[in-house]
Amino acid sequence: MLALAAVVLLMSSCASKKDLLNCQTENRQLMGNYQEAKEQLAASTARVQSLEEQLAQAKRDYARLQKSLDKSLSNASQNNVSIDKLVDQINESNQYIRHLVEVKSKSDSLNMVLTNNLTRSLSKEEMKEVDIQVLKGVVYISLADNMLYKSGSYEINSRARETLSKIAKIIVDYSDYDVLVEGNTDDVPITRENIRNNWDLSCLRASSVVQYLQNNFGVDPKRLTAGGRGEYNPITGNDTEVGRQRNRRTQIIITPKLDQFMELIDEAPADSEK
């Protein structure tokens, strides 16, 4: 009887270990599926935001066209403008609007590709400390301060290199975009002798990232701008440690070059407002 009981206990123990191993394997699979779903959701959310912006812009363009048409009809009635000239003005306005829509659609498409490429290149661990958004045609990459800098410092730490190398590759590949690096802090005053306040700290951190991108990854410095906003651009309250940690961040903001928009304005039909 004792031998039989021992055999039963041994078999029960083996079964329990097997169940535990099966649970651990299943848990790893579920965690992998969860992370993959999270990445897909981030990409889909960015796409939805871009489409919503395109729709809003199309509505604004339509409203401007309607206003221009009403004004043209009014002018035609008051000044006896010929129908042919009125039609020409409307056609020019339509052509310009189509041109604007085409340029914006191209910009939105590039932004989506840029965002998706960057999201896919980052590891699951990096995605926990990097937030990527597309807002009004601009790509915002927000990085937590503890993944970039040494504690209480503006010096780049060793673990930041891999993440910044992936961001730098995207910046180099998309040469038609300018890059603004913007430092942000919480509202806790800095106490280091060589840093006067949080304004200084945020600017120094942004400058460190800009120079790191230039010196280590060959990003053209003509495309780079460093700026600091101190504690005055928080995304949440500073009354908790979690809130202060979220506010201590550096944003890499990727935008189409300003001169491209100025050229676009110069191409506007001379009579588009008549």
Side-chain angles (χ1 to χ4, degrees):
M1 290 295 291
L2 289 175
L4 179 59
V7 170
V8 170
L9 287 174
L10 181 60
M11 292 178 64
S12 174
S13 175
C14 292
S16 298
K17 290 181 179 179
K18 184 176 181 181
D19 290 340
L20 177 59
L21 290 174
N22 289 338
C23 288
Q24 291 174 339
T25 301
E26 184 178 358
N27 183 59
R28 285 193 294 271
Q29 293 174 345
L30 289 173
M31 288 299 294
N33 293 338
Y34 167 74
Q35 190 61 40
E36 183 178 355
K38 182 179 178 182
E39 294 171 2
Q40 292 176 356
L41 177 60
S44 298
T45 300
R47 179 59 178 163
V48 168
Q49 291 176 339
S50 178
L51 291 174
E52 288 176 345
E53 292 172 8
Q54 291 180 43
L55 177 59
Q57 184 62 47
K59 289 180 178 178
R60 289 191 291 269
D61 291 339
Y62 175 79
R64 282 196 295 269
L65 176 60
Q66 186 65 49
K67 183 178 180 181
S68 176
L69 178 60
D70 292 342
K71 187 175 181 179
S72 297
L73 289 172
S74 176
N75 290 338
S77 176
Q78 294 175 5
N79 303 319
N80 295 319
V81 178
S82 68
I83 297 299
D84 290 340
K85 185 175 181 180
L86 176 60
V87 171
D88 289 341
Q89 291 174 359
I90 295 173
N91 288 337
E92 287 179 351
S93 296
N94 287 341
Q95 182 179 1
Y96 180 56
I97 289 173
R98 284 195 296 270
H99 182 52
L100 286 175
V101 171
E102 289 174 2
V103 171
K104 185 177 185 305
S105 297
K106 181 180 178 182
S107 176
D108 289 342
S109 298
L110 286 173
N111 284 341
M112 288 306 305
V113 173
L114 183 155
T115 302
N116 290 336
N117 288 346
L118 181 57
T119 301
R120 284 195 296 267
S121 70
L122 296 174
S123 68
K124 295 178 181 179
E125 289 301 316
E126 288 170 324
M127 285 297 295
K128 295 178 182 178
E129 297 181 287
V130 178
D131 180 48
I132 305 170
Q133 297 185 45
V134 179
L135 299 174
K136 297 182 180 180
V138 179
V139 179
Y140 293 83
I141 307 170
S142 185
L143 302 101
D145 72 323
N146 58 353
M147 80 172 299
L148 286 178
Y149 313 106
K150 298 177 181 178
S151 179
S153 170
Y154 55 86
E155 296 179 12
I156 303 295
N157 63 31
S158 58
R159 69 185 285 244
R161 179 178 179 83
E162 185 174 355
T163 301
L164 288 178
S165 69
K166 296 172 182 178
I167 296 175
K169 184 180 185 306
I170 295 294
I171 293 173
V172 171
D173 288 345
Y174 290 83
S175 58
D176 290 335
Y177 285 68
D178 281 332
V179 181
L180 167 64
V181 179
E182 181 183 276
N184 295 270
T185 70
D186 57 27
D187 64 351
V188 178
I190 189 72
T191 56
R192 292 185 57 175
E193 291 183 2
N194 60 336
I195 302 177
R196 292 174 296 181
N197 49 43
N198 284 335
W199 275 115
D200 277 2
L201 179 60
S202 63
C203 292
L204 287 168
R205 285 183 166 181
S207 178
S208 292
V209 173
V210 162
Q211 294 179 67
Y212 199 85
L213 291 173
Q214 175 190 354
N215 297 334
N216 292 275
F217 306 113
V219 178
D220 185 354
K222 295 178 181 179
R223 300 172 54 200
L224 297 170
T225 302
R229 303 190 68 174
E231 64 200 67
Y232 302 104
N233 185 37
I235 56 177
T236 187
N238 283 299
D239 51 344
T240 66
E241 177 54 37
V242 173
R244 290 190 291 273
Q245 184 176 358
R246 290 189 63 196
N247 289 331
R248 296 192 301 267
R249 69 199 188 281
T250 295
Q251 285 190 310
I252 298 177
I253 304 170
I254 305 175
T255 62
K257 291 186 176 179
L258 181 61
D259 57 357
Q260 295 175 347
F261 287 106
M262 298 305 295
E263 290 173 3
L264 192 61
I265 295 173
D266 291 340
E267 294 173 9
D271 297 327
S272 62
E273 295 298 327
K274 294 181 181 180

